[in-house]
Amino acid sequence: MAGPRVVIIGAGVVGAALADEISARGWTEVTVVDQGPLPATGGSSSHAPGLVFQTNSSKTMTELARYTVEKFCSLDVDGKPCFLQVGGLEVATTPERLTELHRRHGWITAWGIEARLLTPDECAEQHSLLNPDRVLGGLLVPTDGLAKAVLAVEAQIRRATERGVTFLPRHEVLDVQQTDGQVTGVVTDQGEIPADIVVCCAGIWGPKIARMVGLNLPLTPLGHQLAWTGPVPALAGQTEESVRPILRHQDADLYYRDRFDAIGIGYYGHRPMPITADEILSFDEADTAGGMPSVLKFTEDDFEPAWTETQSLLPSTKDAKVEEGINGLFSFTTDNFPLLGESPDVKGFWVAEAVWVTHSAGVGRAVAELLVDGYCSSFDLHECDLNRFEPHQLSPEYVLARDCQNFVEVYDILHPLQPSGHPRPIRTSPFHTRQRDLGAFFLEANGWERPQWYEANAGLVEGRSVPTPNDWAAQYWSPIVGAEAQATRETVAMYDMTALKRLEVTGPGAADFLEGLTTSKVAKSVGSVTYTLLLDHDGGIRSDITVARLARDLFQVGANGNLDLDWFTRHLPADGTVQVRDITPGTCCIGLWGPLARKVLQPLTDEDFSNDGLKYFRAKRAYIGSVPVTAMRLSYVGELGWELYTTADQGQKLWDTLWQAAQPLGGIVAGRGAFNSLRLEKGYRSFGTDMTYEHDPYEAGVGFAVKLDKGDFIGKAALERRKTDVRRKLTCLTIEDPRSVVMGKEPVYEGDRAVGYVTSAAYGYTIGKGIAYAWLPAELAAPGTTLHIGYFDERVEAVVAEEPLFDPTMSRLRG
């Protein structure tokens, strides 16, 4: 199978990896073009220092790096290896960093890669240049090392060429041709190349290429300092290129590597140096000037703090000098993840952008699977999908500010709840003014300012049992969170649910369209609300959604984000019988929940909100006071109540109406902190955290949302194969120690063996225990099983529990 005609733009480490991976799968009618020579094309791959540290808070990014390491270890060019597996060592020079290394050790262990924590003396044994008096400890990952990027490019080019792939160096892309929204070819300075698929792997030039098809690529090239010393006397006589572990000194934004008798020093501590793709020289322009397009002039003043610190951490460098340096360009994105996927508007135009050498081979495999198979079976790519962004996240101001912020914070210790900086606020609900008046502490969700708790509820804490968690978990936390959670179960609370994505699906084909995408029957009576799943073709969960049928040809979908909108849009029938639109910006939502919710709502409306008048998981249109609402009887906190939707212009009126009615009954407003605690007590899953593309419904505990006896839907055939082979389960664990509140992504141990990892976690304020959901082998998911969670340098005892922990009979929800 030769496959379709594919043109890959860019022959750096990503383009070469993709050409290799896609040709290995049988697609050989592939042409790779690059403006520069091969294999050093002049992009970031050509100057990259090659350090590959696999440790990352993202499981996906670690797995992409692991595949890259494994592949590069198998490659060579005429006997010269493409990877030097010298190990990776991170050192701590402050108590805070030492604590962080324990957290990082937890991540890498959770993701299944060997790592160990070292004492200062053990660090010095691993890296002989280290001053052990400066070091408090370290983290060693033996499989890390140095990628020889240009050699890896050459090795993969050779493999792809043997399979029939054509590489065209010195071909500058001038345009991407398209007809009726489908790519048809690429125009270069040496002629046109027809194509059915074009993949942009242009790296720092990516935004310029993407713009040729009208695609706004949220990527910023930023200069990053890399310097090389002259000979270091302590390294005299070193005949191997590198023998010491690659080294990170993140307290000072520094990293190091050997190069025979010299040391390479990378530095992130300087001011951000952004540049636009249009300002980057072409290869020929840079070559004429005697340089490389991805290399800017070294700014010595910016590097001075790095050199001073280096001489302290590595004292032997005092006998050497900095002899050369560059400000090399690398790609940054607003959330530090790559940009992978197909354009939403131009069929056949794909991107694999913002990919560093560390993840390059993994990305090559992932994109090859997407192209050839139609889905990726090797990696969960929801964090990397090109189409994950909200419109405001594509604005030039936002992209530049967040990309520069990510450069500054690249080695910072970041808390899981730490809010982003400028620009903020961006999106505010109609309730924002009222929330500020009540002392809301805001965090950000998809650009929305969302209350975490309200200082107006401080008086609720008195007399309650609200334990204080450990110092890490106590950041961005208040005892008010616990009081709000308990008060919700006692009286009634108002929650701002505006940040949740809302889609409207309309048209005569809407019911059939949704039936073909979802796992449950959603084409039910008007007023029905259905919890259901979106699956990929391999049976992996793409999202969990609620579908409310508000009229014969009108459905409202509670979605998880822009990827759901993109998924729906890509599957729209060509006959125009279905329309999908995002109604989130023009609407708002209040969750009114608690045992007294009906006493608040019923006096405000002529509609019947009794148990018979609006049953659980049903919806109706009504007026609340003078405000028209869509009321859905569902609750993710496990209490009686409704989600009440209205238009943004009437949102504040709805808030005021409900608030005035709730206060005499002891009603409160409550924030996301309480919401998360309550939903875990009830066992409700969160897509993107508890379950992702790599999990199927039966593993994730949402098999009840699958109806295999309905008509065909995407993923159905795969589920029929997977249903009887459940080897892992999303499992509820409880923790007795109230201070041991874990935060997510920690390893779970059976004895000394890491067997899984935590997804969501919180303290259950109404059950009086810590809660952690975790992925575990099915044989360890039996209630009563005692395990331990690795939390920094502690092992926290946790016991598998029956779920849900709260109201297992559903009597409170259905009352």
Side-chain angles (χ1 to χ4, degrees), residues 225-227 249 252-256 265-270 298-314 317 322:
Q225 292 202 303
L226 176 66
H249 174 26
D253 298 304
L254 286 161
Y255 63 78
Y256 304 94
I265 307 168
Y267 185 45
Y268 286 104
H270 55 81
F298 188 59
T299 49
E300 295 181 4
D301 290 347
D302 289 307
F303 193 72
E304 282 185 11
W307 182 232
T308 299
E309 179 62 21
T310 296
Q311 292 174 89
S312 173
L313 186 73
L314 310 176
T317 58
V322 174

Side-chain angles (χ1 to χ4, degrees), residues 429-693:
S429 79
F431 323 131
H432 186 69
T433 301
R434 299 292 188 260
Q435 292 165 344
R436 283 189 310 178
D437 292 343
L438 292 167
F441 179 85
F442 291 102
L443 296 180
E444 184 186 5
N446 293 325
W448 293 96
E449 295 296 312
R450 184 168 64 186
Q452 192 74 358
W453 68 82
Y454 293 85
E455 289 295 333
N457 293 327
L460 290 175
V461 177
E462 187 176 351
R464 294 181 181 275
S465 175
V466 179
T468 301
N470 58 77
D471 290 346
W472 182 250
Q475 295 186 47
Y476 307 102
W477 175 87
S478 166
I480 298 171
V481 168
E484 290 178 356
Q486 293 173 0
T488 301
R489 300 227 187 274
E490 296 163 358
T491 56
V492 63
M494 293 165 51
Y495 288 82
D496 181 359
M497 305 299 290
T498 302
L500 299 182
K501 190 77 148 180
R502 292 173 292 285
L503 307 178
E504 187 178 82
V505 182
T506 57
D512 290 341
F513 168 73
L514 288 169
E515 284 289 324
L517 294 179
T518 60
T519 61
S520 308
K521 185 170 180 58
V522 298
K524 297 184 291 191
S525 62
V526 172
S528 65
V529 182
T530 307
Y531 174 82
T532 188
L533 308 171
L534 304 177
L535 304 181
D536 215 326
H537 294 273
D538 64 347
I541 301 170
R542 287 196 64 97
S543 189
D544 65 333
I545 61 175
T546 55
V547 179
R549 190 171 201 175
L550 303 181
R552 181 178 182 277
D553 297 331
L554 170 62
F555 295 81
Q556 182 172 311
V557 176
N560 279 298
N562 215 53
L563 291 180
D564 294 346
L565 174 60
D566 181 67
W567 186 252
F568 279 8
T569 302
R570 290 182 187 280
H571 289 90
L572 285 172
D575 60 9
T577 57
V578 183
Q579 296 80 43
V580 177
R581 70 186 185 100
D582 182 1
I583 62 171
T584 313
T587 57
C588 58
C589 178
I590 294 175
L592 181 71
W593 295 313
L596 302 184
R598 188 172 284 124
K599 290 187 177 181
V600 172
L601 194 65
Q602 188 61 79
L604 300 176
T605 179
D606 293 334
E607 292 289 334
D608 183 3
F609 277 86
S610 69
N611 200 34
D612 292 331
L614 186 62
K615 294 184 180 299
Y616 185 55
F617 262 76
R618 297 288 296 179
K620 69 161 66 173
R621 299 277 179 78
Y623 282 92
I624 306 302
S626 61
V627 180
V629 303
T630 299
M632 298 186 195
R633 190 175 167 193
L634 60 158
S635 164
Y636 285 93
V637 301
E639 293 291 338
L640 168 69
W642 302 268
E643 291 181 358
L644 302 170
Y645 298 88
T646 191
T647 52
D649 62 318
Q650 300 207 52
Q652 190 174 102
K653 180 63 175 176
L654 176 63
W655 177 283
D656 291 344
T657 301
L658 294 171
W659 182 232
Q660 185 176 358
Q663 282 186 286
L665 298 172
I668 65 165
V669 290
R672 189 69 178 184
F675 178 93
N676 196 48
S677 171
L678 296 171
R679 71 121 181 142
L680 287 176
E681 289 185 339
K682 193 59 184 166
Y684 292 138
R685 278 60 169 149
S686 173
F687 176 79
T689 303
D690 298 317
M691 53 191 186
T692 66
Y693 293 1

